[in-house]
Amino acid sequence: MTSVETRAGQLLIDGEPRLVIAGEIHYFRVPRDEWADRLDLAVEAGCNAVASYIPWLLHELPDGTLDVTGDTRDDRDVGAFIDLCAAKGLWFIARPGPFVMAELMNEGLPFRLYREHPELVPVGWDGVPTGSRTLDYLHPAFLAEVRRWYATVLPRIYQRLAPRGGNVIAVQLDNEVGMLAWVTNSPDLTGHLLADFRDWLDAPARRASTGHTGGTPWPDEPEGPDGTSHGATPWPALAALSPEPDAFARAVRSPEESWAGELRAALPLFMRDRFARYLGALRDLAHEFGVHDVPLLVNLHGTAAGSAEPFPIGISQLVETYSGLPGMVAGSDHYVGEMTLNATTDLYVINAFQAAVNGPDQPLTSVEFEAGSGDYGNGMDVAYDPSTVELKTRLFLAQGNRLINYYLFAGGHNRPLEVPIGDGIDRIAFTGERHGFAAPVGPEGQRGLTFEPTSRAGRTARTLAPWLSRMRPEPDSLQLGLVLDAYASEYHHPGSALMTEITEDLTRHRGAGPRRALARSTLLLGYQFDAVWLERSAPRDDAVLMLSTGRFMDAALQRRLAAWVRGGGRLLLLGRLPEADLAGRGCTVLADALGLRGIGMVWDAAHYFPTARAAGWTKPWPDTRVGWLQRLAVDDSPGAPASEVVLTDCDDIPCGVEVELGRGRVVFLAAELPSNLALFGRVLDRFGVRPRLRLETEVPGVFGLSTVTDNGQRLLHLLNVTGYEPEVVVSFDGLPARRLRLPVRAGVALPVNLATPVGVIEWADAELVDVAADRLAFGPGLAGDASSVRLRGPVTAVEGGTLSVDGEVSVVTGQGPFVLHLPT
């Protein structure tokens, strides 16, 4: 009997905090007599778990019967694969759908559903058939079919749950819910869904948040216009539409401009509620068939074209399915390519945003963590740098992820469909006969290009797991604002100018800011920030809030921000002045409070180059070309907030202002600024914020994070994502500054007051790579011949350096790698 639970952001197995490093291996793509070989490779790569989809499509026979025991094919024996994982000492994460994606036909659903239940197949805008194989999730006919599938497959999982003595430590419900409609901009507008939408519009209680836990209440939080405090907005134009089903369907599928803005804002919020009810129905079915007492996973999608900028769309869609709900855990699903300045910023931000939305007991996880070489088309046209998977793993561990599932760890083969459908391939998936060409382990079981880098990452995680599983990140007095409704942008009718305008504005002005300038600048300065979900929580009292704003912002949030600043809040705004709410109705509450008014946008053009120029305390700072800027009129009448211009355009018209509002202060920069360490460093200095971990280097691309246990043990995580070998001066909270040289495209975790079974490592210029009863092993020193390891405790002999004693501290100096031999 093994307990599995989440508490205080940790994943506890039998009461002990653990890191789970899993590899996705699809048993249905690997011959049964090769299963053991793939699992051995996972163990060799440092994995302690395996995950796999369990596709309904593969287990339903042409006559509609289901086989999960291998009666018809030996590779359909789900239980045998899970048991073999257990025999290899591996935990198992089950992913039974019903949707599983995985490049399978119909996203893993049987063809029969589409033939027998045409009422499940949605249409989108203007009644046009959707461009994906999605179905109406909540239709009773679909839920009845899911019940039949779950009734067959879940008992095989139930028998093997860890609390029942098995090795299944988590079960994922469905996969990437809402993704298909988002990527096609084609909402699932079935008649059944539209009737549900009509009811939702008429029921204020259903429009309210489902009750997220955690967070700090806003001071004197104003009520929203519908009397609620969560900022929900009524939809008078939508409410006035004809309730007659056909007329209402036409109005939603082909909206007129008079209600298009409200529809754009309301439809995603309705879908949040609907997705929550769908996942709730799956959760109830799982419980009915005995699957409980292990975390139920929700997979958050959202990366696109190598960017994680849109990732919070998935959080927005699914937040009510898991946030603060006991037993539910969400995980990221990301494909961003090589570890670049952009990718590092994106990944840091999505982890921060996930943590902001999680309840206090919910840990960060990544249930699809890109591990391949990038050659997903099998064209030898992409090969990621081998450092990529290791750098990503290090970043995620430093931000507190407790479960990482390398996807796809092992490739395989797509077998032919039992009944050909004449689609040009007639296989279970559309990738051809071979699948997972880019994986660390190739389709035929060969070690791929990324096997060794993935193994290095796994070994690092395994060595540092006793500390990382307990550690938490240490943010400075800095928070990035998450406006989740700014990511409720997945649907807009292509013929609606208003819908398109709002969606484009939200996309340009959210998250990390235009050109990622807020997040990347602060990270490269050495700042560590967390995030705050502003629809739920006020920023921390000690924190400067960084927020990217556009023309459209919810009225309640505008009021809250103004009131928070008046009460002493510190706010860094980057973007445009909000001038309307999320439905496109005029709203200048925040601008009015700041005494600012937009007097025109200036855009980069063929023969015009907008330039931001320093003014006031931002001097000296060179004139900088920007993609656009907003000219501002500053209210200087009696009684207006005191202000100082800090940026202008070349005509000396303000485009950046510092405003004193009540007991607080706002710096508003209304330009598409590039990441700039001098400018943003000066702004944060102005706010009095200093980074705990300070990095000095001439190479942009060095990131630093620190993690700490409750009793003060730390790891300092340094990541060099560049092809350079920079010299970096590292300072941390009173420790002597260390001048280190970081290897090309590499990461390192340096211990500070780290308690090991054989002594406390006060400081080391090298990473701990092995711990044994009679020795500690470290990697190469980063300070050359002067690299040192300071251990509070006796050392009997050393390799790689010279031993001296300073009181009760053994000091080893040299170039490393170091091995310290200790008394047994």
Side-chain angles (χ1 to χ4, degrees):
M1 301 283 289
T2 299
S3 64
V4 186
E5 58 183 324
T6 60
R7 189 190 313 149
Q10 296 178 354
L11 177 60
L12 306 178
I13 300 180
D14 272 346
E16 285 296 312
R18 300 298 296 262
L19 285 185
V20 174
I21 305 298
E24 182 91 8
I25 300 174
H26 293 158
Y27 65 92
F28 53 90
R29 285 177 163 134
V30 177
R32 182 163 175 167
D33 59 5
E34 296 181 25
W35 286 355
D37 171 73
R38 303 303 191 273
L39 298 180
D40 288 341
L41 289 169
V43 172
E44 182 182 337
C47 295
N48 55 12
V50 161
S52 181
Y53 290 123
I54 305 173
W56 188 355
L57 171 68
L58 273 294
H59 291 277
E60 181 165 305
L61 279 59
D63 64 1
T65 60
L66 293 164
D67 175 15
V68 296
T69 59
D71 293 341
T72 57
R73 288 182 59 113
D74 63 3
D75 58 359
R76 283 185 168 128
D77 192 343
V78 177
F81 184 71
I82 299 174
D83 292 343
L84 186 58
C85 290
K88 298 289 185 179
L90 294 162
W91 291 312
F92 189 75
I93 300 165
R95 308 175 77 189
F99 283 86
V100 298
M101 317 310 181
E103 294 76 51
L104 291 167
M105 298 300 181
N106 307 329
E107 318 301 344
L109 299 180
F111 286 91
R112 177 185 59 81
L113 296 185
Y114 299 83
R115 294 193 307 269
E116 295 183 3
H117 298 287
E119 71 276 17
L120 301 181
V121 181
V123 296
W125 299 122
D126 300 320
V128 174
T130 59
S132 68
R133 297 292 279 175
T134 187
L135 294 176
D136 185 340
Y137 292 110
L138 266 186
H139 197 290
F142 182 62
L143 291 179
E145 292 281 8
V146 173
R147 164 181 281 277
R148 178 172 169 271
W149 165 238
Y150 270 19
T152 303
V153 70
L154 291 187
R156 305 293 288 174
I157 296 170
Y158 162 75
Q159 297 163 8
R160 293 165 173 82
L161 292 176
R164 291 184 54 81
N167 61 324
V168 177
I169 59 169
V171 177
Q172 182 180 308
L173 300 178
D174 209 278
N175 189 51
E176 297 173 342
V177 173
M179 182 268 290
L180 296 172
W182 163 55
V183 297
T184 60
N185 183 28
S186 186
D188 302 339
L189 302 180
T190 64
H192 176 262
L193 182 145
L194 290 173
D196 193 15
F197 184 34
R198 180 79 238 188
D199 290 344
W200 181 85
L201 290 170
D202 292 337
R206 282 186 59 192
R207 294 202 306 270
S209 164
T210 54
H212 312 288
T213 61
T216 304
W218 287 90
D220 301 320
E221 184 175 327
E223 288 191 344
D226 64 351
T228 66
S229 61
H230 59 83
T233 305
W235 320 111
L238 292 178
L241 296 175
S242 170
E244 193 277 322
D246 288 344
F248 184 72
R250 287 193 299 271
V252 172
R253 290 169 180 164
S254 302
E256 296 180 9
E257 289 295 81
S258 58
W259 63 79
E262 289 188 9
L263 179 61
R264 190 222 62 82
L267 187 57
L269 301 187
F270 159 70
M271 291 304 297
R272 279 186 197 167
D273 171 71
R274 189 170 169 86
F275 290 148
R277 285 181 283 132
Y278 170 57
L279 266 294
L282 296 187
R283 183 175 64 249
D284 290 345
L285 285 175
H287 289 171
E288 178 182 340
F289 294 113
V291 176
H292 46 71
D293 296 329
V294 297
L296 298 177
L297 301 178
V298 175
N299 193 12
L300 302 174
H301 59 87
T303 57
S307 170
E309 187 282 327
F311 179 86
I313 291 174
I315 302 178
S316 170
Q317 290 181 298
L318 299 178
V319 58
E320 295 184 0
T321 71
Y322 71 90
S323 178
L325 298 179
M328 302 298 292
V329 174
S332 63
D333 175 337
H334 58 86
Y335 298 87
V336 297
E338 290 196 357
M339 198 69 155
T340 61
L341 292 172
N342 270 352
T344 306
T345 304
D346 282 354
L347 294 175
Y348 186 100
V349 168
I350 69 172
N351 279 321
F353 281 172
Q354 275 191 258
V357 169
N358 280 349
D361 287 327
Q362 292 173 317
L364 282 178
T365 74
S366 182
V367 294
E368 281 192 35
F369 187 101
E370 184 180 29
S373 67
D375 185 21
Y376 301 126
N378 197 29
M380 299 186 182
D381 46 7
V382 177
Y384 297 158
D385 187 276
S387 64
T388 297
V389 66
E390 188 174 3
L391 287 167
K392 289 177 182 176
T393 300
R394 287 179 175 276
L395 176 65
F396 274 56
L397 293 177
Q399 288 190 264
N401 275 258
R402 311 304 188 188
L403 181 156
I404 288 175
N405 179 35
Y406 290 129
Y407 192 98
L408 183 65
F409 180 77
H413 292 79
N414 296 312
R415 67 174 187 244
L417 290 166
E418 291 175 281
V419 178
I421 60 171
D423 64 351
I425 190 170
D426 283 328
R427 291 186 179 273
I428 61 173
F430 53 77
T431 49
E433 180 179 352
R434 301 174 77 241
H435 186 85
F437 339 99
V441 177
E444 291 73 44
Q446 71 277 29
R447 288 170 170 78
L449 293 176
T450 59
F451 181 80
E452 181 50 36
T454 304
S455 299
R456 287 198 302 270
R459 289 193 293 269
T460 297
R462 183 173 56 207
T463 299
L464 300 179
W467 300 278
L468 285 175
S469 60
R470 291 170 164 81
M471 286 179 164
R472 63 181 186 278
E474 291 188 281
D476 294 305
S477 298
L478 195 62
Q479 289 191 292
L480 181 63
L482 168 61
V483 180
L484 207 52
D485 286 350
Y487 288 93
S489 59
E490 61 267 35
Y491 312 125
H492 64 282
H493 191 288
S496 168
L498 180 58
M499 281 183 158
T500 300
E501 179 187 8
I502 297 173
T503 300
E504 290 180 349
D505 180 82
L506 294 177
T507 301
R508 183 181 293 116
H509 299 289
R510 62 192 180 189
R515 301 181 66 178
R516 301 169 172 83
L518 281 176
R520 185 162 55 229
S521 298
T522 49
L523 287 173
L524 290 176
L525 283 164
Y527 288 92
Q528 302 170 79
F529 58 81
D530 60 355
V532 55
W533 176 17
L534 291 173
E535 284 97 346
R536 178 181 67 177
S537 304
R540 296 197 316 267
D541 289 340
D542 71 321
V544 170
L545 174 64
M546 304 185 295
L547 181 62
S548 181
T549 67
R551 185 181 168 210
F552 301 92
M553 180 186 287
D554 180 67
L557 181 56
Q558 292 191 43
R559 289 194 298 272
R560 290 171 177 174
L561 288 170
W564 176 72
V565 174
R566 287 192 184 98
R570 297 174 294 168
L571 177 60
L572 168 56
L573 292 176
L574 177 66
R576 293 182 60 173
L577 271 177
E579 300 171 346
D581 68 12
L582 292 172
R585 300 170 295 217
C587 180
T588 57
V589 172
L590 183 58
D592 294 343
L594 298 177
L596 300 176
R597 180 168 52 88
I599 55 175
M601 296 294 298
V602 180
W603 299 90
D604 187 71
H607 301 290
Y608 193 84
F609 315 101
T611 298
R613 175 175 291 171
W617 49 260
T618 63
K619 294 179 178 179
W621 180 66
D623 291 0
T624 299
R625 179 183 170 185
V626 296
W628 53 262
L629 58 83
Q630 183 178 29
R631 291 173 166 171
L632 303 172
V634 182
D635 185 356
D636 58 0
S637 63
S643 60
E644 178 182 357
V645 175
V646 296
L647 287 182
T648 71
D649 67 5
C650 284
D651 295 322
D652 294 327
I653 299 174
C655 62
V657 182
E658 180 184 45
V659 179
E660 295 182 10
L661 180 60
R663 293 186 289 111
R665 188 148 36 104
V666 177
V667 173
F668 175 45
L669 307 177
E672 188 190 51
L673 294 162
S675 297
N676 187 284
L677 307 193
L679 176 63
F680 286 98
R682 197 165 300 170
V683 171
L684 293 179
D685 281 345
R686 181 78 173 177
F687 280 120
V689 181
R690 302 288 186 273
R692 178 183 288 108
L693 175 61
R694 294 170 295 282
L695 307 175
E696 298 175 41
T697 180
E698 295 182 356
V699 176
V702 176
F703 296 85
L705 300 86
S706 62
T707 52
V708 65
T709 63
D710 289 341
N711 62 358
Q713 301 178 64
R714 285 187 171 85
L715 288 169
L716 306 185
H717 307 263
L718 306 179
L719 303 177
N720 173 22
V721 304
T722 76
Y724 301 96
E725 191 173 288
E727 187 173 78
V728 184
V729 177
V730 179
S731 307
F732 182 82
D733 262 0
L735 291 175
R738 310 292 296 183
R739 188 175 298 274
L740 308 177
R741 186 166 292 278
L742 298 184
V744 168
R745 295 192 61 83
V748 64
L750 302 179
V752 177
N753 292 324
L754 201 70
T756 76
V758 291
V760 175
I761 306 168
E762 291 190 344
W763 171 264
D765 291 326
E767 182 172 83
L768 185 64
V769 297
D770 192 27
V771 179
D774 60 348
R775 67 189 187 94
L776 296 176
F778 296 81
L782 301 181
D785 292 340
S787 298
S788 64
V789 175
R790 296 175 57 87
L791 178 72
R792 199 177 309 140
V795 174
T796 59
V798 300
E799 301 171 35
T802 302
L803 174 64
S804 60
V805 179
D806 180 8
E808 296 181 353
V809 178
S810 298
V811 182
V812 179
T813 305
Q815 200 160 21
F818 304 104
V819 178
L820 281 60
H821 296 276
L822 311 164
T824 57

